[in-house]
Amino acid sequence: MASRGDTSTVMKYIANGASDFLLKPVRIEELSNIWQHVFRKQMRDHSVNNPPIAMAPPTPAITRTAGEANSAPLENEVRDMINNNGEITDIRDLRKSRLTWTSQLHRQFISAVNHLGEDKAVPKKILGIMKVKHLTREQVASHLQKYRTHMKRSIATTSKYVSTLPSSTALNKTQNHSSKSKCFDQDGCMEITDYSLPRDDLSSGSECMLEEQNGYSSEGFQDFQWDSDKQEYGPCFWNF
DNA sequence: TATTTAATAT
DNA sequence: AATATTAAAT
């Protein structure tokens, strides 16, 4: 499933083993025959020595007519856009892929920034520390720009710092927080170490693991920061 | 030239 | 508003 239907995009998917190509948004009709691919593959694999898994062909909610059945390989049909029947009719209005900075991904970003120090934190170094495959320097740069903007705004509009440490002193000037007091839950987020597809193939969120919806924007963000007094790491709140 | 940063576009 | 892309600066 992809959000872009141009030839280049489709070819990439096919080259990577895709058997079919569906342009989002997907209608139920398009989904109703997909089981056949799996079924056929099962048959093929079984011929070797794999016992077939129990798999009863589902009753299609909607059955395609013979004429339009599963169309030929899409490579040959791809033009500019695909309609709900898999037919391409226009190239405009195809959504672009965008990286979603999940709270967990942001944590890794912040961790890297803190590790480097606010002044030394530049995109390439951040990227190197984050070790997230297929994350690009440009994406980090973009996020860094936003991060700095938010930090600046935060410092300008707030003055009090609230620490969760029992008796910590102010750690540094960037640790203030605004009136917003929420913070992200630290759990439930899987470590993101791989996007599983090259950046160019990230058509849109639901295809990769970046689609977490727990955004961080306008919320607080809890992090851990070196406390020079206590000589240890302790939690603190950010408001990025 | 490569990277960073600011500005602008989507 | 968030992310991407471009363009200027280092």
Side-chain angles (χ1 to χ4, degrees):
Chain A
M1 272 181 247
S3 55
R4 290 161 47 81
D6 55 277
T7 303
S8 169
T9 297
V10 175
M11 290 302 282
K12 284 182 198 166
Y13 278 80
I14 298 296
N16 279 292
S19 306
D20 202 342
F21 189 92
L22 301 181
L23 184 68
K24 293 188 290 188
V26 177
R27 294 196 314 172
I28 186 63
E29 298 94 300
E30 301 174 73
L31 237 33
S32 63
N33 287 318
I34 284 186
W35 66 268
Q36 295 180 29
H37 285 299
V38 183
F39 187 77
R40 292 198 193 95
K41 177 166 174 52
Q42 274 297 310
M43 297 304 281
R44 287 196 302 271
D45 294 349
H46 175 51
S47 64
V48 185
N49 66 351
N50 303 334
I53 59 175
M55 183 178 136
T59 302
I62 298 174
T63 304
R64 283 184 177 178
T65 66
E68 60 182 346
N70 273 340
S71 56
L74 288 167
E75 307 99 291
N76 307 321
E77 302 187 358
V78 176
R79 303 279 188 284
D80 300 318
M81 196 177 96
I82 303 177
N83 68 10
N84 287 327
N85 287 323
E87 300 157 340
I88 299 165
T89 60
D90 195 345
I91 198 176
R92 295 164 300 180
D93 195 34
L94 296 179
R95 286 175 295 172
K96 290 180 83 176
S97 68
R98 297 183 96 196
L99 166 63
T100 296
W101 281 84
T102 66
S103 57
Q104 173 57 33
L105 193 55
H106 181 61
R107 272 182 208 110
Q108 296 175 216
F109 168 85
I110 291 295
S111 183
V113 170
N114 288 343
H115 183 265
L116 289 164
E118 298 280 328
D119 47 343
K120 304 256 183 188
V122 293
K124 193 176 184 182
K125 289 176 184 170
I126 296 172
L127 187 60
I129 291 180
M130 288 182 73
K131 290 203 275 269
V132 176
K133 280 184 279 190
H134 305 303
L135 181 63
T136 67
R137 183 164 50 79
E138 287 79 3
Q139 288 171 315
V140 171
S142 177
H143 194 63
L144 181 62
Q145 181 177 18
K146 190 185 78 163
Y147 172 73
R148 286 169 170 166
T149 297
H150 282 233
M151 289 298 279
K152 194 189 303 181
R153 189 187 59 188
S154 168
I155 294 173
T157 59
T158 69
S159 55
K160 10 176 200 189
Y161 164 70
V162 178
S163 171
T164 58
L165 285 174
S167 64
S168 70
T169 57
L171 298 175
N172 66 49
K173 60 178 166 55
T174 65
Q175 291 177 352
N176 301 330
H177 76 67
S178 69
S179 55
K180 290 170 180 170
S181 59
K182 292 184 201 164
C183 68
F184 297 106
D185 52 339
Q186 295 283 77
D187 51 86
C189 290
M190 62 193 328
E191 283 282 328
I192 298 176
T193 57
D194 188 0
Y195 286 87
S196 76
L197 284 175
R199 182 189 167 284
D200 283 348
D201 284 333
L202 297 178
S203 298
S204 81
S206 60
E207 292 162 296
C208 60
M209 19 196 317
L210 298 178
E211 188 65 2
E212 277 183 282
Q213 286 304 307
N214 52 336
Y216 52 82
S217 57
S218 75
E219 302 290 354
F221 176 74
Q222 185 174 15
D223 192 27
F224 293 85
Q225 180 86 10
W226 179 257
D227 184 325
S228 56
D229 290 337
K230 302 186 62 170
Q231 292 292 299
E232 66 180 25
Y233 278 95
C236 65
F237 283 95
W238 301 69
N239 73 326
F240 176 60

